[in-house]
């Protein structure tokens, strides 16, 4: 019979597993009335931010405005129960909207199916603990993508600021057509758009320079601080409200110099299965064809969504002194997208701007998301008729104000100082993203992968001494590196002043593979033919077991290089020869000047 453990420990393990999968069970029993007030304030503040942004981001995604609102409430509810970061808010973002524009072809049917499939992929990654795959998207690739996205998204909204119509969405064609038709600018849209941009920039600057209010200050001072802080934090809602009132006044006078958002269907989205086919006038597009059409987007969209969310969660967890569970974040993201697809949502991810608002407002738990989601539902149920009067120029100003800070000009200078080689994937991603987003991300990841493989194939090797050569690899040895190691050792061992013995210091080698073992065996034989001995020292247990199991002929190992040197009969470096670092030789021969640091 199977042995049964005590029931109490089993129950505790089961409860721990349940709390790990439902983080809400960890904070809900401890919820205090003091937290409720702060969560309510944070939820309302974020709600006032997300409604205008949702309408604006739907424009970036190439979808009708209501789809931005449809995408803004399910993630709030799901993350409250499954998320591990109290500050993070899920919803539409500029980056994800740009990706949806590229892979959903401005078609709501494709966008909703992309949401469902992206959520399934994210769920699978969370269940299989595949979060480590995100580590292969390097920081230079992410920075290059977000900086390029900042420029492309901003320029995509210039047409709405100027009131131009019929501008293509491809970046270079956009630039050409916008400059060619700039004489067709509508003065009303341009004046309102620039005014909204100036107001948003001024309110942002006001908030950044606002000194903290002390509890010792007079009541009037604290009230003034609260009013200014609220206006600066809810600046998107205030600017859109002001622009809507201006448009409504023009409408009452019988003239409308502004381009308006137009009618938005009132009411909540129906709960239904995501579409697995698309009806066309000349037939039906089957599920397989839709998947083929989306292509690489089925990898790019879920991965970029996870990268954005986990990066934001880690940043605010570190800032506010708590920990997150990356694999649980994958599950929360996946479940939010799967559930969202039943309510006509396009893919969502963590929003840095709204998360920052949430944290600055003093949110205590993810329950603030419930209030934000409720505000979005109320807007859909009762306020969509008012959204008709929102000028497109005002929404364009909201988008430009949100994405301009994403451009990180300092990253180029930083990488030049830290490691110039990292500028290669940064620049490749940045430039290719102006052509097509997917090409930029794929090209950047490929270049980063090539540089990573190059560092594995050419590990740093320090060679010193002459009578006895001391060879010190700087990292573990894998199969692409063994030929390089053999070439370096043989070229020095068979030189004019050939040494009597060679010591391979392995204290930095934590693992080897079979190809490396075979290469070392061949190296031992080749050196023996020339009367040169090869000894190993400072072997780690795992490496020593692998070499002993291979039963290499002539294999000798010592605890330290000093003992190996005594047996070899010479002192490493005794000749006074300058140290030889193979890294500098190999890199300088293969890479352009100025890229090595």
């Amino acid at each position: 019979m199977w042995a049964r453990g005590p029931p109490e420990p089993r129950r505790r393990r089961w409860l721990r597993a349940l709390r790990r999968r439902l983080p809400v069970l960890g904070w809900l029993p401890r919820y205090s009335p003091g937290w409720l007030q702060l969560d309510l304030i944070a939820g309302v503040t974020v709600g006032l931010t997300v409604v205008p942004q949702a309408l604006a981001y739907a424009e970036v995604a190439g979808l009708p405005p209501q789809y931005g609102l449809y995408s803004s409430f399910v993630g709030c509810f799901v993350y409250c129960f499954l998320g591990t970061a109290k500050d993070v808010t899920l919803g539409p973002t500029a980056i994800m909207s740009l990706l949806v524009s590229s892979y959903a072809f401005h078609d709501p049917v494709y966008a909703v199916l992309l949401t469902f499939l992206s959520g399934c992929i994210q769920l699978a990654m969370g269940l299989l603990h595949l979060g480590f795959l995100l580590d292969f998207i390097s920081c230079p690739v992410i920075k290059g993508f977000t900086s390029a996205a900042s420029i492309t998204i901003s320029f995509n909204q210039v047409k709405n600021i100027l009131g131009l119509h019929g501008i293509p969405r491809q970046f270079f064609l956009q630039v050409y057509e916008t400059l060619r038709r700039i004489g067709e600018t509508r003065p009303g849209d341009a004046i309102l758009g620039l005014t909204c941009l100036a107001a948003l920039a001024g309110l942002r600057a006001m908030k950044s320079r606002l000194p903290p209010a002390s509890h010792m200050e007079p009541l009037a001072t604290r009230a003034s601080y609260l009013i200014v802080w609220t206006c600066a934090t809810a600046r998107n809602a205030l600017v859109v409200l002001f622009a809507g009132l201006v448009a409504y006044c023009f409408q009452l006078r019988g003239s409308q110099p502004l381009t308006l958002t137009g009618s938005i269907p009132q009411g909540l989205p129906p709960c239904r299965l995501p579409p697995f086919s698309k009806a066309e006038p000349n037939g039906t597009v089957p599920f397989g064809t839709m998947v083929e059409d989306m292509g690489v987007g089925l990898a790019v969209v879920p991965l970029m969504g996870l990268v954005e969310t986990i990066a934001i969660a880690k940043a605010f967890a570190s800032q506010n002194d708590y920990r997150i569970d990356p694999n649980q974040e994958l599950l929360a993201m996946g479940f939010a997208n799967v559930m969202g697809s039943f309510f006509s949502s396009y893919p969502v991810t963590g929003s840095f701007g709204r998360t920052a608002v949430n944290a600055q407002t003093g949110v205590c738990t993810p329950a603030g998301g419930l209030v934000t989601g409720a505000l979005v539902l109320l807007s859909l149920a009762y306020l969509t008729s008012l959204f008709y009067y929102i000028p497109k120029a005002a929404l364009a100003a909201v988008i430009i104000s949100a994405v301009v800070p994403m451009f990180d000009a300092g990253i180029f200078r930083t990488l030049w100082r830290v490691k110039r080689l990292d500028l290669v994937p940064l620049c490749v991603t940045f430039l290719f993203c102006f052509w097509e987003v997917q090409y930029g991300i794929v090209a950047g990841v490929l270049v980063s992968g090539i540089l990573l493989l190059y560092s594995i194939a050419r590990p740093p090797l320090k060679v010193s001494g002459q009578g006895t050569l001391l060879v010190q690899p700087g990292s573990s040895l894998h199969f692409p590196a063994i030929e390089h190691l053999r070439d370096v050792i043989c070229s020095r061992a068979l030189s004019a002043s050939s040494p009597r013995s060679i010591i391979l210091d392995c204290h930095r080698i934590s693992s080897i593979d079979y190809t490396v073992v075979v290469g070392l065996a061949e190296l031992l034989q080749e050196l023996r033919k020339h009367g040169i001995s090869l000894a190993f020292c400072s072997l780690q247990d795992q490496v020593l077991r692998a070499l002993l199991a291979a039963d290499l002929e002539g294999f000798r190992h010592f605890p330290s290089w000093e003992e190996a040197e005594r047996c070899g009969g010479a002192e490493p470096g005794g000749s006074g020869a300058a140290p030889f670092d193979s890294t500098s030789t190999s890199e300088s021969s293969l890479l352009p000047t100025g890229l090595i640091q």
Side-chain angles (χ1 to χ4, degrees):
M1 292 181 65
W2 293 98
R4 286 190 171 187
E8 190 61 29
R10 283 207 314 273
R11 187 178 297 112
R12 282 201 297 268
R13 286 196 300 270
W14 185 83
L15 287 173
R16 279 199 302 270
L18 185 62
R19 278 197 295 267
R20 192 166 59 248
R21 292 294 174 231
L22 280 175
V24 65
L25 299 178
W27 56 262
L28 187 59
R30 301 181 289 107
Y31 201 86
S32 68
W35 295 354
L36 179 61
Q37 180 184 359
L38 292 172
D39 285 346
L40 281 172
I41 294 172
V44 170
T45 306
V46 174
L48 292 174
T49 304
V50 72
V51 170
Q53 281 191 343
L55 296 170
Y57 288 148
E59 159 69 23
V60 176
L63 301 174
Q66 64 268 25
Y67 282 89
L69 295 173
Y70 294 166
S71 307
S72 302
F73 64 90
V74 175
C76 296
F77 296 140
V78 170
Y79 197 83
C80 175
F81 294 93
L82 299 180
T84 59
K86 70 179 181 67
D87 301 300
V88 169
T89 63
L90 299 185
T93 65
I95 296 295
M96 192 54 64
S97 299
L98 180 64
L99 293 175
V100 170
S101 172
S102 299
Y103 297 115
F105 319 110
H106 313 158
D107 188 332
V109 175
Y110 275 88
V112 174
L113 180 59
L114 180 60
T115 306
F116 176 77
L117 296 177
S118 297
C120 291
I121 292 170
Q122 291 166 338
L123 273 177
M125 291 180 66
L127 293 172
L128 297 174
H129 296 270
L130 296 179
F132 71 91
L133 292 176
L134 304 177
D135 298 336
F136 286 93
I137 303 178
S138 66
C139 185
V141 172
I142 296 172
K143 288 289 188 180
F145 167 61
T146 54
S147 296
S150 171
I151 296 173
T152 56
I153 292 171
S154 297
F155 203 88
N156 183 47
Q157 296 307 308
V158 170
K159 67 179 187 294
N160 290 327
I161 293 283
L162 301 179
L164 302 178
H165 301 281
I167 301 294
R169 300 187 72 88
Q170 207 282 332
F171 178 74
F172 297 109
L173 293 177
Q174 265 184 15
V175 175
Y176 172 76
E177 281 294 313
T178 302
L179 295 177
R180 186 179 71 84
R181 296 173 52 190
I182 199 164
E184 304 173 20
T185 299
R186 291 167 58 100
D189 285 323
I191 292 171
L192 180 69
L194 294 174
T195 302
C196 291
L197 273 175
L200 289 167
L203 289 170
R204 179 193 292 273
M206 183 188 300
K207 184 178 180 181
S208 65
R209 291 173 171 80
L210 195 63
S214 170
H215 291 290
M216 306 300 295
E217 298 283 348
L219 180 61
T221 304
R222 283 183 284 149
S224 301
Y225 172 87
L226 181 61
I227 291 171
V228 173
W229 182 88
T230 302
C231 291
T233 302
R235 58 186 176 273
N236 292 331
L238 289 177
V239 165
V240 169
L241 178 62
F242 164 77
L245 289 174
V246 170
Y248 183 70
C249 291
F250 278 116
Q251 193 79 6
L252 290 178
R253 295 179 58 184
S255 64
Q256 189 54 266
L258 305 173
T259 305
L260 304 182
T261 298
S263 299
I264 297 176
Q266 187 167 356
L268 306 181
C271 180
R272 59 190 175 196
L273 285 172
F276 294 102
S277 62
K278 184 178 186 296
E280 295 279 6
N282 56 350
T284 301
V285 181
F287 174 73
T289 302
M290 295 177 72
V291 171
E292 289 178 10
D293 291 341
M294 288 184 282
V296 71
L298 293 175
V300 172
V301 170
L303 285 177
M304 289 307 299
L306 293 174
V307 167
E308 194 171 3
T309 301
I310 292 179
I312 292 169
K314 285 183 176 179
F316 282 89
S318 173
Q319 175 182 313
N320 295 319
D321 196 25
Y322 61 88
R323 296 177 61 84
I324 66 162
D325 180 351
N327 284 305
Q328 181 62 28
E329 291 295 305
L330 297 184
L331 294 175
M333 277 285 300
F335 200 71
N337 277 316
V338 169
M339 290 297 296
S341 67
F342 285 80
F343 294 92
S344 302
S345 166
Y346 69 82
V348 299
T349 183
S351 165
F352 186 87
R354 296 193 296 273
T355 298
V357 169
N358 212 20
Q360 291 166 3
T361 316
V363 71
C364 296
T365 68
L370 298 178
V371 182
T372 301
L375 276 180
V376 175
L377 290 177
L378 288 174
S379 299
L380 279 167
Y382 301 110
L383 301 180
T384 50
S385 59
L386 301 178
F387 296 156
Y388 175 92
Y389 297 101
I390 297 177
K392 286 190 174 182
L395 294 179
V398 169
I399 294 173
I400 293 173
S401 175
V403 301
V404 163
M406 288 168 25
F407 182 79
D408 187 359
I411 189 64
F412 295 90
R413 184 171 60 254
T414 301
L415 291 183
W416 181 264
R417 292 198 309 265
V418 175
K419 188 176 182 182
R420 296 175 187 175
L421 200 58
D422 281 341
L423 283 168
V424 177
L426 173 74
C427 293
V428 167
T429 307
F430 181 76
L431 295 175
F432 272 73
C433 278
F434 291 114
W435 180 18
E436 287 289 347
V437 172
Q438 60 269 32
Y439 298 152
I441 295 172
V442 172
V445 171
L446 285 176
V447 171
S448 293
I450 290 171
L451 294 178
L452 176 63
L453 292 175
Y454 180 81
S455 66
I456 294 174
R458 295 293 182 270
L461 294 175
K462 185 176 181 181
V463 183
S464 57
Q466 196 167 25
T468 297
L469 282 185
L470 177 63
V471 182
Q472 296 173 299
S475 63
S476 293
L477 292 178
H478 301 284
F479 64 90
I482 186 59
E483 286 301 321
H484 174 60
L485 176 67
R486 288 179 59 185
D487 290 343
V488 169
I489 291 179
C490 289
S491 64
R492 289 297 297 268
L494 303 180
S495 60
S497 55
S498 56
R500 296 189 303 274
S501 62
I502 300 172
I503 301 171
L504 186 60
D505 185 352
C506 303
H507 76 278
R508 288 193 177 96
I509 301 176
S510 59
S511 65
I512 58 174
D513 54 44
Y514 178 71
T515 305
V516 172
V517 173
V518 172
L520 291 175
E522 294 173 353
L523 179 63
L524 280 167
Q525 293 177 1
E526 185 173 358
L527 293 175
R528 192 181 305 112
K529 290 177 184 177
H530 294 86
I532 302 172
S533 66
L534 173 63
F536 298 78
C537 70
S538 306
L539 288 165
Q540 297 189 25
D541 291 342
Q542 182 179 352
V543 177
L544 178 59
R545 283 196 299 269
L547 293 175
L548 290 175
D551 195 21
L552 302 181
E553 183 179 354
F555 172 65
R556 297 182 304 150
H557 65 95
F558 301 90
S560 65
W561 68 264
E562 291 89 353
E563 187 170 341
E565 177 268 323
R566 283 196 299 271
C567 295
E571 181 179 355
S575 64
F580 170 82
D581 189 345
S582 70
T583 305
S584 59
T585 302
S586 60
E587 286 191 349
S588 60
S589 64
L590 295 175
L591 296 176
T593 304
L595 292 182
I596 303 168
Q597 183 156 327

